[in-house]
Amino acid sequence: MYIITEGGPKALDLNFTKEVSKRSGEDIQACYQCQKCASGCPIAEYGEIDTNQVLRMIQFGLKDELLKSKAIWVCVGCETCGARCPNGIRIAAVMDALREMAIEEGVAPGEKDIYLFHQCFLDSVKSLGRTHEGSMLMKYKLKSGHLLEDVGVGIKMFLKGKLALFPHSVPSKTEVRRIFDWAKNKKSGN
Amino acid sequence: MKLAYYPGCSLEATAKEFDSSVRAVSKALDIELVEIPEWTCCGATSAHATNHKLSIGLPALTIKQIQNLGLDCVVPCSACFNRLKTTEYQMIHDAEIRQEMEKVLNFKYDGQPRVYDLLAYFVEKIGIKNISQKVQKPLKGLKIACYYGCLSVRPGHITEIDSTENPMQMDNLLKALGATPINWSYKVDCCGAGHSVSKPAMVTNLSGNILAKAREAGADAVVNSCPLCQTNLEMRRPQGEDIPVFFFTELMGLALGLPEAGNWWSKHLVDPSKVANAIQAG
Ligand code: SF4
Ligand code: SF4
């Protein structure tokens, strides 16, 4: 089957539809485009595709367009959409699945800084077992180039004792590493 | 009464005043909090936004630790609560996930739910009546906007909250402490959550809007139960916005007449001491 897009006719990838349904555990075909999800979505104006359109595009099998979109990255996972969907579709879980697929397929994230932040956060958890906000933020700033943003607020937080100087590392981090290794392996589990 | 306590990473850093007020208030309510030894990070937004297995695996490790303690566990941070409760739910309802986690973490899950949101635990298990009997200094004259945000509320089948659109737990508790909760429409709107660092302008819009609506509705202060919301509402606000934001446990501490309460205000990025002192004086 083909669909006419702005860029011309395009073959539908219906495996993609199945894969997203399976990963998210949500019945994507149940969406009938009432737009209730989109009208309550707090970040609607920051992505280029509305929430209900994401569902439609999955039904159509428009994989590339979705995986490289900004919309899947700016979603904050607030679950407002799912709480209001008359068909009980948890779109936040669908967005999680789309992001995970984008990462696995090496698609450049539509919002580079957001993905970079997640990576810095998880690196901190992986090496210490807990997040160390100070070193995590420093790493993010160096890598993102947003060096001067929030400097004033950072100093204020530090003076208030809200940014710990040294990381707190826990012995159970060996188990944490085991979980990271297991999570990296796509084949085991679901 | 003994309860396991999972503070979470934010309460060790940006939300220290939440941690100290939780501990002080619990003590005043004759609750002994047993901090889970060697608790680890729940993975927060970053794990579930990028890797499904990680988002289950990291909290599962804490669930194993809670089971070892054999106590009910209270979680003050809404984000941690949401991740732990989601994982608990999945391990109870999905045999495949449970077996996988048992294998990876080398333990046997007994299937008993033990994870509670601290606010819900206070309201439902300790009871508003029991708490109000300990009030020394009622929060008279204080008009507050109770802000619940997302993660202590949604999805409803996980959080088991009274309502996902108009929850009342915090309102009822604060009312029993003598305050006047106002009616407003933004109590479950999102503050921008985990995008605070990577999308500051967007989060400033979202958080600023919530504060403006609270002020318009006549609130003297906003009360909340999440360290992420607290940071966003204090740090990501438009210039000139000065409405203070409290953790609900801080106002409990004030109402219970705890001497520690005075130590918390200096930790805030937006000074709440004027409002706090007015209550104490009144
Ligand atoms: S609320 Fe549900 S049914 Fe309506 S458009 Fe959104 S996903 Fe589709
Ligand atoms: S979970 Fe994502 S898509 Fe749904 S309402 Fe929240 S931000 Fe919008």
Side-chain angles (χ1 to χ4, degrees), chain A residues 98-119:
Chain A
L98 291 171
R99 256 179 259 114
E100 196 173 54
M101 288 174 78
I103 295 167
E104 281 177 18
E105 306 217 353
V107 178
E111 288 275 351
K112 209 167 89 254
D113 289 346
I114 293 177
Y115 182 43
L116 180 62
F117 176 79
H118 292 322
Q119 285 177 307

Side-chain angles (χ1 to χ4, degrees), chain B:
Chain B
M1 160 188 242
K2 256 194 196 180
L3 288 176
Y5 178 49
Y6 179 87
C9 302
S10 300
L11 276 76
E12 281 201 323
T14 52
K16 280 188 174 159
E17 66 275 35
F18 196 15
D19 183 58
S20 28
S21 59
V22 168
R23 290 177 194 267
V25 166
S26 301
K27 201 163 156 215
L29 297 175
D30 301 318
I31 298 168
E32 187 191 330
L33 293 180
V34 182
E35 184 169 334
I36 300 167
E38 290 201 22
W39 58 267
T40 46
C41 175
C42 70
T45 310
S46 294
H48 88 82
T50 56
N51 185 319
H52 178 68
K53 287 170 83 176
L54 206 52
S55 77
I56 299 291
L58 288 171
L61 177 52
T62 297
I63 287 180
K64 171 183 169 180
Q65 292 167 329
I66 297 171
Q67 180 170 302
N68 285 343
L69 284 177
L71 298 168
D72 279 347
C73 180
V74 285
V75 185
C77 168
S78 302
C80 301
F81 162 71
N82 193 289
R83 295 323 312 157
L84 293 175
K85 197 73 194 169
T86 299
T87 302
E88 183 182 83
Y89 183 91
Q90 301 218 7
M91 283 175 64
I92 290 170
H93 291 95
D94 187 329
E96 210 178 304
I97 289 180
R98 188 184 66 241
Q99 282 157 10
E100 182 80 10
M101 289 331 306
E102 288 180 339
K103 205 170 77 203
V104 178
L105 298 171
N106 190 22
F107 83 123
K108 192 104 200 103
Y109 182 52
D110 65 10
Q112 199 178 313
R114 292 200 178 87
V115 176
Y116 292 90
D117 174 48
L118 179 77
L119 170 68
Y121 198 92
F122 279 173
V123 171
E124 285 161 20
K125 303 274 172 172
I126 306 293
I128 289 181
K129 220 177 181 177
N130 289 331
I131 296 172
S132 64
Q133 277 164 4
K134 304 215 169 183
V135 170
Q136 306 276 334
K137 294 189 171 203
L139 308 172
K140 256 194 232 122
L142 178 66
K143 279 192 276 169
I144 44 157
C146 291
Y147 176 66
Y148 297 75
C150 308
L151 298 173
S152 62
V153 174
R154 291 180 297 264
H157 71 287
I158 303 275
T159 63
E160 295 175 0
I161 194 141
D162 51 341
S163 158
T164 54
E165 294 293 349
N166 188 20
M168 287 302 288
Q169 288 176 337
M170 204 191 301
D171 295 64
N172 293 339
L173 173 65
L174 270 292
K175 201 165 161 196
L177 302 177
T180 309
I182 54 149
N183 275 327
W184 67 316
S185 311
Y186 288 76
K187 50 163 73 164
V188 295
D189 275 42
C190 177
C191 68
H195 290 351
S196 190
V197 174
S198 49
K199 279 261 187 217
M202 175 181 117
V203 176
T204 304
N205 280 344
L206 294 172
S207 299
N209 196 26
I210 290 163
L211 296 172
K213 299 301 177 187
R215 205 168 15 77
E216 268 170 37
D220 305 317
V222 175
V223 191
N224 103 100
S225 66
C226 174
L228 283 184
C229 301
Q230 180 78 17
T231 304
N232 284 346
L233 293 177
E234 287 199 324
M235 188 166 90
R236 301 287 178 222
R237 54 167 65 197
Q239 265 190 345
E241 178 62 79
D242 65 351
I243 189 167
V245 186
F246 290 96
F247 287 110
F248 75 99
T249 44
E250 293 180 315
L251 290 182
M252 287 179 80
L254 261 187
L256 299 180
L258 306 185
E260 295 97 317
N263 305 336
W264 303 325
W265 319 137
S266 65
K267 293 273 176 203
H268 285 242
L269 293 174
V270 177
D271 186 7
S273 54
K274 222 170 99 191
V275 173
N277 294 340
I279 305 166
Q280 270 168 329

Side-chain angles (χ1 to χ4, degrees), chain A residues 31-37 52 55 85-87 89 91:
Chain A
C31 170
Y32 50 35
Q33 292 296 305
C34 69
Q35 303 187 10
K36 221 175 158 193
C37 51
N52 61 299
L55 273 286
C85 171
N87 292 312
I89 305 171
I91 298 120

